[in-house]
C-alpha cells in the first residue's frame, strides 16, 4: 500500500482514520464511495468510511476507552457532557442516534432528550 516515502503521511492520517472508524486500503482497491488521499501528487491510500450508525458506535466505544469505564457507570454530570459532545458531533442526526446513545449511557431516551433540552435552555 505504501512506500517508505509515504510512511510519514500514513502515520499522520492514521489517528484520524482510526477515530472515524475508517479502514485504509491500497488506492487501486478504492470503491466509488471511498476517499483516495494523495501526497505530493501520488495516490497513497484509500479510506473506506463507515456507515454513520457504525461511526456512532465507534465514537461511543472510543469514549469508553478514553474514560476507562462503561459510559453507563458515569455520573449524571459526565453523561450530560457526553450528550453535549455527541450533539456537537451530529450524533443525533443519525437514525436511531438517541436510542443508541441512551443504550450506551444506560438511560432512557427521555433522559437523553432531557439532557439535550436542558442544554438548549441554559
Amino acid at each position: 500500500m505504501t512506500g517508505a516515502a509515504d510512511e510519514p503521511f500514513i502515520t499522520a492520517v492514521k489517528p484520524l482514520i482510526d477515530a472515524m472508524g475508517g479502514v485504509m486500503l491500497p488506492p487501486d482497491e478504492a470503491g466509488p464511495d471511498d476517499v483516495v488521499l494523495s501526497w505530493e501528487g501520488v495516490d497513497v491510500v484509500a479510506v473506506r468510511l463507515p456507515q454513520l450508525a457504525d461511526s456512532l458506535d465507534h465514537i461511543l466505544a472510543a469514549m469508553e476507552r478514553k474514560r476507562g469505564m462503561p459510559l453507563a457507570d458515569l455520573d449524571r454530570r459526565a453523561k450530560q457532557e457526553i450528550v453535549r459532545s455527541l450533539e456537537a458531533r451530529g450524533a443525533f442526526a443519525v437514525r436511531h442516534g438517541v436510542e443508541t446513545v441512551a443504550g450506551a449511557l444506560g438511560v432512557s431516551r427521555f433522559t437523553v432528550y432531557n439532557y439535550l433540552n436542558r442544554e438548549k435552555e441554559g
Side-chain angles (χ1 to χ4, degrees):
M1 174 166 40
T2 64
D6 301 327
E7 250 348 278
F9 179 78
I10 296 295
T11 300
V13 299
K14 186 174 181 345
L16 177 62
I17 294 167
D18 290 346
M20 295 184 313
V23 176
M24 293 190 291
L25 308 164
D28 59 349
E29 293 181 20
D33 294 329
D34 296 334
V35 178
V36 177
L37 302 178
S38 299
W39 180 250
E40 297 180 347
V42 177
D43 291 345
V44 176
V45 65
V47 179
R48 181 160 297 152
L49 298 173
Q51 298 296 315
L52 286 176
D54 294 337
S55 285
L56 181 54
D57 290 337
H58 189 80
I59 290 166
L60 290 165
M63 288 177 152
E64 275 194 353
R65 281 191 306 276
K66 184 176 181 179
R67 292 184 181 256
M69 67 172 54
L71 298 179
D73 293 348
L74 298 173
D75 64 24
R76 185 173 58 86
R77 172 172 263 136
K79 289 178 182 182
Q80 288 171 331
E81 288 174 18
I82 295 283
V83 169
R84 275 194 299 275
S85 173
L86 291 169
E87 182 180 29
R89 295 176 79 171
F92 301 111
V94 175
R95 184 176 178 166
H96 302 298
V98 171
E99 292 86 347
T100 300
V101 171
L105 294 178
V107 299
S108 68
R109 289 181 5 221
F110 180 75
T111 298
V112 172
Y113 284 119
N114 278 341
Y115 292 168
L116 288 168
N117 290 332
R118 185 168 297 123
E119 185 63 26
K120 289 181 173 98
E121 292 169 4

